[in-house]
Amino acid sequence: MTTVVEDASPAQQPPAADASLLDIKNLSISFPTQQGIVRAVNGVRLNVGNREKVGIVGESGSGKSVTALSILRLLPTATIEGEIWFDGMDILQASEEEVRAIRGRRIGYIFQNPMSALNPVQTIGQQLTEPLRIRGVGRREANERGAALLDRVGIKNPRRRMKDHPHQFSGGMRQRVIIAMALIAEPDLVIADEPTTALDVRVQARVLDLLAELAEERHLAVLLITHDLGILAGFAQRVVVMYAGRPVEKCSIDGLYHQSIHPYTAGLLASLPRLEGEIPVTLTTIKGQPPSPLDLPTGCPFHPRCPYVLDICREEEPLLLVPPGGPHASACHRAGEWSRNPGKLP
């Protein structure tokens, strides 16, 4: 029985004892275009617990970033249906003032392009301390906290570098600044949207290691958005695989690599380069292209590219369910067969 809190805001309700920090229920997002309505996301369910690291993975256009942006209501032209609960607040029903109170303060956002996310005419210090200044923190304290955080993310001479502009930083350093900006208000959840885009492999590893260290130090939950399965290993605890705006597999990180029961995930895994054994001349790829959201195929959206397609796949969209005896949820009509022989259909 739910306890009613008197005089509570309509967007507030007390969270259950076992409630997740973030709980997304049946989320659908559409956009009006000249060609018609585009359904970018359809039926996403996702939860992130306190101090948990969860990954969303899929090709470009799968709906990952749109899902992430909807959490902070940063899609002004979109029609959003479903529920997004954050620590007892229904974000989609909250007032704009209530949502502004959690942006940056309780939910930090790491944008995927650090150059476009930074204002080229403002100094790093101005941008880094802005979340503190608009909440009434004095200039001196804000600068001290900003310099300390820049030092923690590996920026040398932080007090001097706070006077510099973004073009005076390398790509990896700009990404570290973006991470610092997301963390300076000490949020509970950080959404990292492709945080290693356009960075070389060595810098990618350092940025991810830094994010993991800071999450552990500050007891943060992290939602990591990526198209690269390789960077999830050693970072995420659970993973949601998305295709054509839909979740097609939900599993633990070990389940992703060792017990996948969806052909799309298997195709993504097969495309990863491997160090052991003989190096192939060409990498494995998934044939074809993701469908246009304006012209989705009938049945399973992956069936035009699937090597294991059946007639039912062309006619009926599979539900995201755990098959009998299966290790986790998969939206595939043949998931039961994969469960009996993970990673390989007969």
Side-chain angles (χ1 to χ4, degrees):
M1 181 176 179
T2 302
T3 302
V4 177
V5 180
E6 295 183 0
D7 299 323
S9 163
Q12 300 277 351
Q13 73 174 34
D18 59 348
S20 298
L21 180 64
L22 175 69
D23 194 5
I24 298 174
K25 301 178 181 180
N26 200 31
L27 179 69
S28 295
I29 304 172
S30 57
F31 297 89
T33 70
Q34 292 182 344
Q35 291 76 35
I37 300 297
V38 171
R39 180 64 66 89
V41 170
N42 189 14
V44 169
R45 298 182 67 90
L46 169 71
N47 67 290
V48 181
N50 286 292
R51 302 181 63 175
E52 188 178 26
K53 299 189 232 7
V54 177
I56 302 180
V57 67
E59 293 172 284
S60 296
S62 61
K64 309 183 302 297
S65 293
V66 172
T67 298
L69 290 168
S70 70
I71 296 170
L72 287 177
R73 287 206 338 216
L74 295 176
L75 301 170
T77 63
T79 298
I80 305 176
E81 301 173 300
E83 300 175 47
I84 302 176
W85 291 91
F86 176 74
D87 197 19
M89 172 185 286
D90 185 351
I91 289 178
L92 297 185
Q93 300 302 319
S95 68
E96 184 61 31
E97 183 180 357
E98 289 173 314
V99 175
R100 281 199 303 267
I102 66 171
R103 287 182 187 143
R105 183 176 181 181
R106 299 204 59 199
I107 302 179
Y109 204 108
I110 300 173
F111 292 91
Q112 61 179 283
N113 188 333
M115 198 61 213
S116 62
L118 292 170
N119 188 328
V121 300
Q122 285 189 330
T123 67
I124 293 298
Q126 289 173 318
Q127 297 177 71
L128 176 61
T129 60
E130 183 179 8
L132 299 179
R133 296 302 310 282
I134 62 177
R135 289 174 175 82
V137 177
R139 184 182 300 275
R140 177 175 295 181
E141 181 183 348
N143 287 339
E144 287 296 320
R145 289 170 62 176
L149 192 51
L150 283 185
D151 181 66
R152 179 60 191 87
V153 300
I155 302 296
K156 295 181 180 179
N157 303 314
R159 287 181 174 79
R160 179 175 63 81
R161 298 311 305 267
M162 285 180 68
K163 301 175 183 178
D164 290 340
H165 289 80
H167 73 271
Q168 295 172 277
F169 285 66
S170 67
M173 292 172 66
R174 288 196 293 265
Q175 193 63 70
R176 289 168 183 266
V177 171
I178 293 294
I179 292 174
M181 290 173 63
L183 298 183
I184 195 165
E186 300 182 350
D188 302 300
L189 170 68
V190 169
I191 301 171
D193 189 359
E194 301 275 10
T196 58
T197 296
L199 302 178
D200 66 51
V201 175
R202 292 173 299 175
V203 177
Q204 284 185 16
R206 289 197 292 268
V207 167
L208 288 172
D209 287 345
L210 172 64
L211 184 57
E213 290 173 11
L214 292 170
E216 188 66 25
E217 287 176 10
R218 294 167 178 258
H219 310 306
L220 301 175
V222 180
L223 182 61
L224 175 64
I225 315 296
T226 183
H227 65 275
D228 186 353
L229 282 174
I231 72 172
L232 291 173
F235 186 91
Q237 296 158 282
R238 292 189 295 112
V239 182
V240 177
V241 182
M242 289 187 65
Y243 183 79
R246 295 160 171 80
V248 296
E249 191 163 16
K250 297 173 72 173
C251 55
S252 67
I253 191 66
D254 288 338
L256 177 78
Y257 290 104
H258 304 296
Q259 291 182 297
S260 173
I261 52 174
H262 195 283
Y264 175 61
T265 310
L268 293 177
L269 289 168
S271 68
L272 291 175
R274 301 180 184 276
L275 296 179
E276 71 273 10
E278 185 178 348
I279 299 176
V281 177
T282 58
L283 293 176
T284 303
T285 60
I286 302 175
K287 295 181 180 180
Q289 298 292 328
S292 166
L294 282 167
D295 187 25
L296 292 172
T298 58
C300 174
F302 186 61
H303 87 252
R305 306 173 70 188
C306 182
Y308 307 106
V309 63
L310 301 174
D311 287 341
I312 190 175
C313 304
R314 300 183 178 93
E315 300 166 1
E316 184 178 326
E317 183 177 350
L319 299 176
L320 183 66
L321 300 171
V322 179
H328 51 253
S330 171
C332 178
H333 290 297
R334 305 190 71 175
E337 297 176 67
W338 281 65
S339 297
R340 292 189 291 272
N341 192 8
K344 185 178 181 181
L345 275 174

